[in-house]
Amino acid sequence: MMKKLLPLQSASNTPQGQGHQHQSQTIRADSGCNNSVTTSLVPIPPYEILLSLQSQSLDGHLSLKDNEGAAKDFGNIHHFPPLAVLHPKTVSDISRTVKYIFEKGTDSEVKIAARGHGHSLQGQAQAHQGLVISMESLRSPEMKIQTGEFPFVDVSAGELWINILHETLQYGLAPKSWTDYLHLTVGGTLSNAGVSGQAFRHGPQINNIFQLEVVTGKGEVITCSENRNADLFHGVLGGLGQFGIITRARISLEPAPKMVKWIRVLYSDFSAFTRDQENLISLKDNTFDYVEGFVIINRTGILNGWRLSFDPKDPLQASQFHSDGKTFYCLEMAKYFNPDEAEVMNQGVDHLLSQLSYIPATLFLSEVSYVEFLDRVHVSEMKLRAQGLGDVHHPWLNLLIPRSEIHNFAEEVFGNILKDTSNGPVLIYPVNQTRWNSKTSFVTPEEDVFYLVAFLTSAIPFSTGENSLEYILNQNKRILDFCTNAQLHVKQYLAHYSTQEEWQTHFGSKWGAFEERKRAYDPLALLAPGHRIFQKAMSTSI
């Protein structure tokens, strides 16, 4: 059974640092685009260009006032107001707008940022005195689902993953890889990577895409895949919005389970914790479907908090467990199943648990629906918002750390820098590099197994001391400084740097290809200025 599927069409000739340096030469697009752009000695004020955009025929609309919302994001740290916000209804709206600004050439200082659900941390989806494209306005045409041997869903890049989940479940299907939070847009996560506890099996979300539709920095609309315009396809995946704006994606699906066995256990020994995590992700078959972990620092009553959603395997042992003043490591696992498979599933789970070295008193289990499990973080977020804590600062720090260096990292960071407290969850779990496509723009440590360590901290506005933004930013700096001084081969996820030199170091051996793709697909460096990677037009003489 299948909804009518409309193929993505290629329309390559149809009408997203703050600084921009003016250049006197003509820059000619040289990657299949016949457009040329020129420059004059007097730059055109950005507002004049955006004002003149109103003459363009659009299905959506352009807003030139009351756009303060586009200067905010989840991080709540950087606020760069745009001059205008485009609310597109069609891909053509985006294409015509980008092409119009591109054809102004270096006369224009207008930058363009695509904004999804506003979940950026460091202003990456903002465009100071530029144009923000509100991708959530781009919801049509409706999702198209294909069943069969290689099922997939075609969706707008402005669609939320939670909506995709609900729609595909009607066909007994679901995407293979997720983020922990589903109220994010497709284009947003695919521009980064999209990582969660399924990544050790299926890789990140960028590894589970069949096809994309992209509007380049020249206004071209290009359909791309592994076999068609592959350079753009790989470049855009994990490309931080630097080469084009993703407008549609064809996402791989698999049969969806109905239920989840959800398990938590604790460790006091870091070596045992990581050894068990690594063993679980090394099993080819008959392992868990989801493996994550988190660090618990100086918290009391841990197990009492779990009792709201989990049941202890041994209530008497659990009641006698005390955690005061210690650091523990929680291993979180999930096994997907259908109700008629419960007995076999439980036998398999018992076998896996028998091979682990957790503290026996801390085994807690729960059974929930597949949707309830995947959408668990949103439930917690709603509780925080109900307490008036929805608009705090989120100075999150996400690191990818090679397995060979994780113990050195943990000893210093969890033993010294964070030994007293933590202002939010600290996730830590391993993934297999073999599940990551090295052709994409995303960079990982060069080891077979590496760890995601995510410091998901919150800072209360106008506070002082350990709850302040200044304190947590300084704490993040101490962690990064340690990594640098100890010469750890760490990569940042959702990275934020101030200079191109730092970005060059981040991309390492991939920098040359990254720069070439920028020159080919966004030569005027119009797109995604919030990352501060390319702050001026790409000279053809480079």
Side-chain angles (χ1 to χ4, degrees), residues 175-213:
K176 300 175 181 178
S177 191
W178 298 98
T179 55
D180 283 330
Y181 184 67
L182 304 191
H183 295 251
L184 306 171
T185 60
V186 168
T189 65
L190 297 186
S191 294
N192 290 281
V195 187
S196 185
Q198 303 90 358
F200 79 94
R201 297 193 67 184
H202 297 294
Q205 290 179 322
I206 57 175
N207 265 46
N208 296 279
I209 303 301
F210 289 146
Q211 185 173 284
L212 296 172
E213 180 185 72

Side-chain angles (χ1 to χ4, degrees), residues 129-151:
Q129 298 294 291
L131 173 69
V132 167
I133 299 178
S134 178
M135 297 302 294
E136 285 191 290
S137 297
L138 186 70
R139 292 294 186 87
S140 61
E142 66 178 24
M143 290 185 221
K144 308 297 178 183
I145 297 171
Q146 177 166 300
T147 61
E149 186 178 0
F150 300 103

